[in-house]
Amino acid sequence: MGEAHQASGLLSSLSSDGSEVELSSTVWQEIYLSGLRSWKRHLWRFWSDFLTGVVPASPLSWLFLFSAIQLAWFLQLDPSLGLMEKIKELLPDWGGQHHRLRGVLAAALFASCLWGALIFTLHVALRLLLSHHGWLLEPHGTMSSPTKTWLALVRIFSGRRPMLFGFQRSLPRLPVPAVQDSVRKYLESVRPLLRDDAFDCAAALAHDFLRLQAPLLQFYLRLKSWCASNYVSDWWEEFVYLRSRNSLLVNSTFYMMDFLYVTPTPLQAARAGNAVHALLLYRHRLNRQEIPPILLMGMRPLCSAQYERIFNTTRIPGVEKDHLRHLQDSRHVAVFHRGRFFRVGTHSQNGLLSPRALEQQFQWILDDPSPACPHEEHLAALTTAPRSMWAQVRESLKTHATSALEAVEGAAFFVSLDSEPAGLTKEDPAASLDAYAHALLAGRGHDRWLDKSFTLIIFSNGKLGLSVEHSWADCPISGHMWEPCQGLNLLLSSPPMSHPTRSHSPKTLSGDTDCHVLPFSHFGKSFIKRCLVSSDSFIQMVLQLAHFRDRGQFCLTYESAMTRLFLEGRTETVRSCTREACHFVRAMEDKKTDQQCLALFRMAVDKHQALLKAAMSGQGIDRHLFALYIVSRFLHLQSPFLTQVQSQQWLLSASQIPVQQTHLFDIHNYPDYVSSGGGFGPADDHGYGISYIFMGEDMITFHISSKKSSRKTDSHRLGQHIKDALLDVASLFQAGQHLKHQFRSLGEEDSGHSHGSSLSSDTVGSKASPNF
């Protein structure tokens, strides 16, 4: 979601004082270590699954097979075709009285071997089925008979109730694209953005790269793909995130909001107790693998590896690079309130504390009048400092306050009890939403422990949200956790630590972030579906039009696409500013006819869909070129072409927030229970960060961010351009295809709520609660 900023800072993460940092290990050593890390993860997951009864399969399936063999043997049938008799001969002779025991042991051994062979066959068959990606190439909204047959076979081989990590051993590995294809696609993506002379220079560099360095780099990359689970992900985590020396605030964090119109309870302590209880219940289900895996089309599984580090995870700063520390369990949360730190236990001898018991602890913290200890108030600001500086200070903290530091870093997650209210207000809905987004993304700079995997923020009026650190996982994982916890939170709504180290408060970085939330309710996904267009592609073309109107030029655009169809996959970049998109935008600005603009729009959408499907199927270009660049650095091989690719700036970073669990909220009958999604910071000091979410059928919410210090950007101005562009594109379909869909014109006042209910964020029970 917000990895564009980190990706654009790759070169700076591999430089020190303007000079390149030499990677000490050799490429052979790094490939060996990547493979070793992969096998360690496999063995740990196998052992964990074995303990939970998942591997090789459910023990009941073995018991059923053993019973069937025993029954056949009792009926004087030999399903083993004589193998059990040979097994009996190999067993020790314990005397005549143990003859029957030898028969039972022989049957058990045969059942185990047959059970393992059947399971292995099923895994191989499922892996072959999941390696097929032809369904991605079919036209949007259609499904051929072969694809239906393929999905049916996937369903059969997947079993009745697959568990969260049940597909991990069957997922295919991310393929390494042909280097010629990646270079060709790269040149195609930058052609509409470069002048002829600049493009000729880029093409010459690409030609030299293919002739000189590419064969060797590609050889090592293919070798790594054979040894490691994923040839990109471990390097992506290390070099894009953990080696970055910039502050985490805004740069490596994103946020997620609460319900937009409903607050289950205005009591801060009660909301905190309910939310913490719901999150820890989710962790309990996660540990037991009771969370169902995400299935595309209800059948095609996605990789679940990132779920393992949602809780009990901390990013530990280092001088040269950070590392992620993950604990198997934690029975407390760390809480921040009015400059004070508290350790709140979450479990008793009988298990997880009730929401009421947690509420009492949070209320005690809120009622505690004691002031913060000296230098305690701004202690968390250390986590917003540049990573090398924070690493050095942390060493002194380990010496003087080891227990306090461990209490925070060893917590399940971090909780911030904010002293101010937040959320949508009836008096000024636009400004209040913007302030809500800013409070979640940047806060005051010293009220979040940014190293934790996520911070739960509860405001004084009961509104809440998440601030998430990006290195351990991508946005969809946090979203899949947040959605059910919000639903459960509705159902549930019925000793201080200090340290004498002083820190700066990063008000400049926080205050420089401009956030704007735009709830667009003129139309939504239902209208876009009637246009027979992908909703994501529709919005991406709208953003291209809006950005051109804002800046008067096209720019390199970063859209995040997931690669979780493959084992340990994370993301790939879709370069949405294509030649087809530019033609459409220019036609709109040149006032071409509606038919011409509509035809060019469909061509741009088709091109975007092709790029998106290529990225999802492992044929994207940016992760491949990134991995080639890392190999060149290990080999100390200079490549002007790869350096040019990695130095590019993403002035527009746009990403859709997925909503997977819409069954939790019946938006049609309960429109107040709408989530407004979340957002992230801009990837460039003179760029925009835009996220958008479809919640329900008639609402789209945009989260726009930029830097106030930039004279080239303005989040509110771009928001107006987005609204105008949405209506202009929609009018093309109304005029060109005579679609009858009523939506308000631009001149009408947009209340921000398409259903006409109260705008107050404190509305509770204005409609009957949905049945969760």
Side-chain angles (χ1 to χ4, degrees):
M1 183 175 177
E3 71 265 14
H5 187 284
Q6 298 297 103
S8 64
L10 174 63
L11 290 182
S12 62
S13 70
L14 288 173
S15 63
S16 176
D17 300 327
S19 61
E20 291 189 347
V21 173
E22 294 294 336
L23 300 179
S24 58
S25 57
T26 65
V27 66
W28 291 102
Q29 181 182 2
E30 183 60 27
I31 291 174
Y32 163 74
L33 292 176
S34 294
L36 184 62
R37 289 191 295 265
S38 295
W39 280 104
K40 283 183 177 179
R41 286 193 299 270
H42 288 326
L43 291 175
W44 180 86
R45 172 49 51 198
F46 181 89
W47 179 247
S48 178
D49 289 349
F50 178 79
L51 295 178
T52 56
V54 178
V55 171
S58 170
L60 291 178
S61 62
W62 179 89
L63 184 61
F64 174 80
L65 183 62
F66 173 72
S67 301
I69 292 174
Q70 285 291 86
L71 178 61
W73 190 262
F74 177 77
L75 296 176
Q76 297 184 348
L77 299 175
D78 186 5
S80 68
L81 303 178
L83 286 178
M84 285 194 295
E85 287 293 338
K86 292 184 177 180
I87 294 175
K88 285 174 62 177
E89 294 175 1
L90 295 175
L91 292 175
D93 187 1
W94 296 303
Q97 66 272 25
H98 297 291
H99 178 75
R100 183 171 180 79
L101 177 60
R102 293 176 66 197
V104 173
L105 288 176
L109 289 173
F110 174 75
S112 298
C113 294
L114 180 60
W115 186 58
L118 290 173
I119 291 169
F120 177 77
T121 302
L122 289 175
H123 279 307
V124 171
L126 186 57
R127 181 185 288 266
L128 292 175
L129 287 171
L130 297 183
S131 299
H132 170 71
H133 298 107
W135 55 278
L136 277 173
L137 304 179
E138 294 185 347
H140 180 73
T142 63
M143 184 180 295
S144 64
S145 297
T147 296
K148 293 178 181 179
T149 304
W150 170 76
L151 284 174
L153 290 174
V154 171
R155 169 67 66 87
I156 293 172
F157 284 97
S158 297
R160 294 179 57 191
R161 288 186 176 181
M163 302 183 76
L164 179 61
F165 300 110
F167 291 105
Q168 295 301 101
R169 287 166 299 280
S170 301
L171 290 174
R173 297 188 179 190
L174 183 68
V176 180
V179 68
Q180 294 84 357
D181 291 342
S182 293
V183 172
R184 174 182 55 81
K185 293 176 182 178
Y186 168 77
L187 292 176
E188 180 184 345
S189 71
V190 299
R191 184 64 188 94
L193 306 175
L194 299 178
R195 300 187 307 272
D196 290 344
D197 56 343
F199 178 77
D200 291 341
C201 180
L205 291 178
H207 181 267
D208 291 342
F209 168 73
L210 289 175
R211 183 171 54 89
L212 300 175
Q213 297 104 3
L216 180 62
L217 301 181
Q218 184 79 345
F219 166 76
Y220 282 112
L221 204 57
R222 289 192 182 278
L223 184 61
K224 188 194 176 191
S225 71
W226 298 334
C227 299
S229 301
N230 190 294
Y231 79 91
V232 173
S233 292
D234 58 340
W235 283 353
W236 184 256
E237 180 179 292
E238 176 182 350
F239 292 98
V240 171
Y241 291 110
L242 300 182
R243 280 185 179 267
S244 173
R245 302 293 82 198
N246 296 325
S247 169
L248 300 186
L249 188 64
V250 179
N251 297 324
S252 185
T253 56
F254 59 90
Y255 66 89
M256 309 193 77
M257 283 185 169
D258 195 4
F259 295 114
L260 194 57
Y261 304 108
V262 170
T263 304
T265 173
L267 300 178
Q268 187 177 19
R271 193 78 200 276
N274 293 338
V276 170
H277 184 84
L279 287 167
L280 292 176
L281 278 181
Y282 183 91
R283 185 183 69 168
H284 176 73
R285 295 184 61 209
L286 182 65
N287 293 338
R288 295 172 60 88
Q289 297 197 41
E290 295 173 356
I291 306 296
I294 299 298
L295 304 175
L296 292 184
M297 301 179 294
M299 297 181 189
R300 178 49 169 98
L302 302 183
C303 179
S304 301
Q306 296 180 53
Y307 284 85
E308 296 176 349
R309 299 187 295 189
I310 294 180
F311 299 93
N312 323 325
T313 299
T314 305
R315 177 170 171 171
I316 305 297
V319 176
E320 294 184 357
K321 68 175 182 178
D322 300 350
H323 72 274
L324 294 174
R325 176 192 178 197
H326 174 72
L327 304 177
Q328 294 305 310
D329 191 24
S330 177
R331 301 172 71 85
H332 74 277
V333 295
V335 180
F336 179 87
H337 176 246
R338 288 198 301 110
R340 304 164 302 165
F341 290 83
F342 299 85
R343 174 180 180 141
V344 174
T346 57
H347 291 72
S348 66
Q349 294 182 348
N350 298 324
L352 178 62
L353 294 178
S354 67
R356 178 61 176 168
L358 290 168
E359 176 190 352
Q360 291 174 346
Q361 294 192 73
F362 287 117
Q363 190 62 54
W364 179 85
I365 293 174
L366 294 173
D367 294 339
D368 184 5
S370 61
C373 296
H375 315 296
E376 181 183 22
E377 182 177 0
H378 296 98
L379 179 64
L382 290 168
T383 65
T384 70
R387 302 305 290 173
S388 298
M389 180 189 302
W390 168 215
Q392 295 171 0
V393 176
R394 183 177 174 275
E395 289 301 313
S396 65
L397 284 176
K398 289 173 61 178
T399 304
H400 299 94
T402 303
S403 59
L405 191 63
E406 281 296 318
V408 176
E409 295 181 346
F413 51 89
F414 196 75
V415 179
S416 178
L417 299 176
D418 204 295
S419 301
E420 301 294 329
L424 188 67
T425 61
K426 186 176 182 180
E427 294 75 20
D428 194 349
S432 62
L433 271 182
D434 295 349
Y436 183 22
H438 185 274
L440 291 174
L441 180 61
R444 291 188 293 274
H446 64 272
D447 53 355
R448 316 275 192 271
W449 198 270
L450 298 184
D451 291 354
K452 294 300 295 182
S453 55
F454 68 89
T455 296
L456 174 66
I457 305 157
I458 301 97
F459 297 94
S460 61
N461 60 343
K463 215 66 180 175
L464 52 76
L466 283 186
S467 174
V468 186
E469 202 280 314
H470 210 319
S471 64
W472 59 274
D474 302 309
C475 173
I477 305 302
S478 304
H480 298 159
M481 170 197 71
W482 190 231
E483 290 174 15
C485 288
Q486 281 183 298
L488 183 57
N489 200 264
L490 281 176
L491 282 176
L492 295 174
S493 294
S494 41
M497 300 177 299
S498 64
H499 191 270
T501 301
R502 193 172 188 84
S503 170
H504 69 287
S505 179
K507 294 182 180 179
T508 302
L509 187 59
S510 174
D512 192 32
T513 305
D514 183 25
C515 296
H516 177 51
V517 181
L518 172 65
F520 182 85
S521 55
H522 295 66
F523 63 86
K525 181 176 283 190
S526 61
F527 174 79
I528 300 176
K529 287 179 179 177
R530 295 180 61 192
C531 298
L532 303 179
V533 176
S534 163
S535 56
D536 180 62
S537 298
F538 185 98
I539 297 299
Q540 287 292 329
M541 295 307 106
V542 165
L543 293 179
Q544 290 299 318
L545 177 59
H547 184 269
F548 185 84
R549 290 174 174 177
D550 181 75
R551 297 288 295 272
Q553 62 183 15
F554 298 105
C555 71
L556 202 60
T557 303
Y558 188 111
E559 181 191 2
S560 178
M562 63 92 180
T563 55
R564 290 170 57 209
L565 293 171
F566 303 95
L567 182 62
E568 297 183 11
R570 291 197 61 162
T571 60
E572 177 58 273
T573 304
V574 177
R575 295 171 173 243
S576 302
C577 185
T578 61
R579 180 177 56 185
E580 291 78 2
C582 294
H583 289 166
F584 158 70
V585 170
R586 292 195 183 279
M588 291 289 290
E589 294 303 277
D590 293 341
K591 308 298 182 183
K592 300 290 186 181
T593 65
D594 290 344
Q595 290 78 7
Q596 289 175 313
C597 292
L598 189 59
L600 290 172
F601 180 84
R602 289 198 176 278
M603 292 176 63
V605 164
D606 291 343
K607 180 62 176 180
H608 179 264
Q609 278 291 292
L611 292 177
L612 178 62
K613 292 175 179 179
M616 292 178 60
S617 59
Q619 298 302 313
I621 62 175
D622 281 275
R623 299 303 177 268
H624 182 207
L625 295 179
F626 156 79
L628 290 171
Y629 174 73
I630 298 301
V631 174
S632 73
R633 292 300 303 269
F634 278 113
L635 292 174
H636 309 295
L637 183 66
Q638 295 295 327
S639 173
F641 170 72
L642 292 177
T643 301
Q644 180 189 64
V645 172
Q646 299 306 323
S647 62
Q648 58 202 355
Q649 297 299 313
W650 305 95
L651 294 181
L652 180 60
S653 176
S655 179
Q656 179 183 350
I657 303 173
V659 180
Q660 296 286 350
Q661 294 155 325
T662 53
H663 61 278
L664 292 174
F665 311 104
D666 186 353
I667 302 300
H668 179 73
N669 293 320
Y670 306 97
D672 281 346
Y673 293 89
V674 60
S675 171
S676 52
F680 53 91
D684 188 85
D685 289 342
H686 300 290
Y688 290 105
I690 305 173
S691 67
Y692 50 96
I693 182 172
F694 297 94
M695 200 64 192
E697 295 296 316
D698 299 302
M699 191 172 193
I700 314 169
T701 301
F702 294 86
H703 296 253
I704 309 167
S705 66
S706 61
K707 293 293 184 66
K708 294 180 180 178
S709 58
S710 174
R711 296 182 179 180
K712 299 179 180 180
T713 57
D714 186 306
S715 297
H716 294 75
R717 184 182 68 211
L718 181 62
Q720 186 61 49
H721 285 309
I722 291 175
K723 181 185 290 187
D724 295 343
L726 282 165
L727 294 171
D728 288 347
V729 173
S731 66
L732 294 179
F733 285 91
Q734 284 194 311
Q737 298 186 358
H738 308 289
L739 292 177
K740 295 182 179 179
H741 181 91
Q742 295 181 355
F743 56 89
R744 286 173 291 168
S745 63
L746 183 61
E748 296 183 33
E749 183 67 22
D750 185 6
S751 66
H753 192 285
S754 60
H755 305 284
S757 59
S758 172
L759 281 174
S760 172
S761 63
D762 294 327
T763 300
V764 179
S766 59
K767 291 182 174 64
S769 297
N771 183 20
F772 294 99

